[in-house]
Amino acid sequence: MAVTALIGLQWGDEGKGKVVDAVSGSVDVVIRAQGGANAGHTVKVGDTTRVLHLVPSGMLYPDVVGLIGNGVVLDPFQLIAELDALASSGHVLDGRLWISDRAHLVLPYHKEMDEALELLRGGGAIGTTKRGIGPAYMDKAGRVGIRVGEIADPGALRERVIEQVEAKNRLFGALDVKLMDGAAVADAVVEATRRLAPMVTDTVSMANAAAEQGKEVLIEGAQGSLLDVDLGTYPYVTSSNCHLGGLLSGSGLPPRAIGRVVGVAKAYCTRVGAGPFPTEDNGEAGQQMRDKGHEYGSTTGRPRRCGWLDLVALRFAVRTNGVDEIALTKSDVLSGQPSIKVATSYVVDGEETTDLPAGVRFDGAEPCYAEFPGFDDDLAGVSTFDDLPGALRDVIAFVEEACGARVALVSTGPERDQTLHR
Ligand code: GDP
Ligand code: IMO
Ligand code: MG
């Protein structure tokens, strides 16, 4: 069995959608395994740019089968909107997109709760996407979540939704949040999920069968390793495991099914929302990254915080995911920087370290940099790795040495064909 797991190595938005699409011409099955519509994966083909939140990114190829795995929290209204938008441009997914009966539903009260909890956090707000992700995973862990399989019985589903709205209303009352109308929410949920019912199946069995038959299977990670609820910059993280472990538990595939782990990293770093970001650059360099890289959130439109590549964090993510190959994206965005910096260690409490500290001490981490000459070349026409500017290849060699993983793919632009394989 040789399944490929593709994982974001930073704080999300590394270009996972672009890379998944670029390699999906030869893929049979693409699986989303964790997260939900907090993900925004951009795929640009020709003049059309699409942002996919729940639909696996490889599905713009007509023969690719997509699975929304058991680890995903699924907003049925969002999925329907996405399916409608795709259908209107000729991408019909019926018969090749399947949803796990074990996945959990994100319902309107989860989004209300997300907003309310952020307000309660005050100055300590996480800056969530407000897609209801945290509250949906809270319900899952609290064992009161509603699973997708329950939509098969609309009468029972209606009762369950009403019961949950009543429970949430008790909290909303205490928080001074407007109460929800359980019957109205339940009717809307029953209506929306009716449409999705034909897509619901046992994706765990499908994923395992595909892997056992030697099909080309790709698990598309969402978010990034530094947003992982266990290994990320807690508490400024998402509520799922975005590491390899979460991709396994969220798809139902066993560890030995994985043949290759591809980690996607930007040639610099970005972060949306609050939390530690030692290499953040609030000066000209960071602004140039934001302008040239169009660093505005795909899901929320928020400006992304920008800064230099952080090898302390990258090495940690490569190590904890067992990354075999790095896909380095947005290398073109560095063009025009007078020099290129990469952080090699931090000073924390007066001591230099190459280990990633846990959240609390991370806040005061001061990065130490290695500095490289910049380059001015436009990478748009570059078609082989060896034709990349020498200055960029030097940075790549340094990254490989520091992380102990090969850079096997370099992305030089948002287009499918702006992808150099090595
Ligand atoms: P994801 O969440 O990891 O899929 O990443 P996003 O789609 O949220 O953000 C990546 C952004 O960078 C999107 O706008 C992509 O179209 C764009 N992008 C991806 N790869 C490249 C690249 O190599 N160069 C440039 N300039 N843009 C890229
Ligand atoms: P993709 O898959 C970037 C961030 C949010 C916030 C924190 C918690 O496109 O890379 P949540 O709504 O998950 O409770 O928010 O996580 N976040 C992302 N940042 N890319 C993402 O997904 C993200 N998904 C969540 O900005 O800081
Ligand atoms: Mg994104």
Side-chain angles (χ1 to χ4, degrees), residues 240-329:
S240 71
N241 282 111
C242 334
H243 264 75
L244 179 61
L247 271 56
L248 295 176
S249 63
S251 62
L253 285 164
R256 70 184 155 81
I258 304 298
R260 191 165 66 121
V261 180
V262 177
V264 185
K266 261 182 217 186
Y268 49 99
C269 283
T270 62
R271 170 160 211 171
V272 224
F277 183 177
T279 62
E280 181 168 17
D281 187 298
N282 290 315
E284 250 174 64
Q287 189 57 44
Q288 189 170 327
M289 292 166 195
R290 190 172 304 109
D291 292 343
K292 206 162 171 178
H294 307 289
E295 295 295 356
Y296 295 88
S298 313
T299 299
T300 57
R302 289 177 288 176
R304 294 175 181 148
R305 298 157 65 193
C306 295
W308 295 108
L309 186 62
D310 182 342
L311 293 181
V312 178
L314 191 62
R315 198 185 300 115
F316 176 85
V318 164
R319 190 182 202 185
T320 49
N321 285 300
V323 167
D324 299 302
E325 296 172 8
I326 296 173
L328 192 74
T329 60

Side-chain angles (χ1 to χ4, degrees), residues 13-18 40-42 298 304 330 332 411-414:
D13 301 331
E14 298 90 349
K16 298 175 293 294
K18 137 98 207 219
H41 295 182
T42 312
S298 313
R304 294 175 181 148
K330 306 196 86 158
D332 52 306
S411 174
T412 56

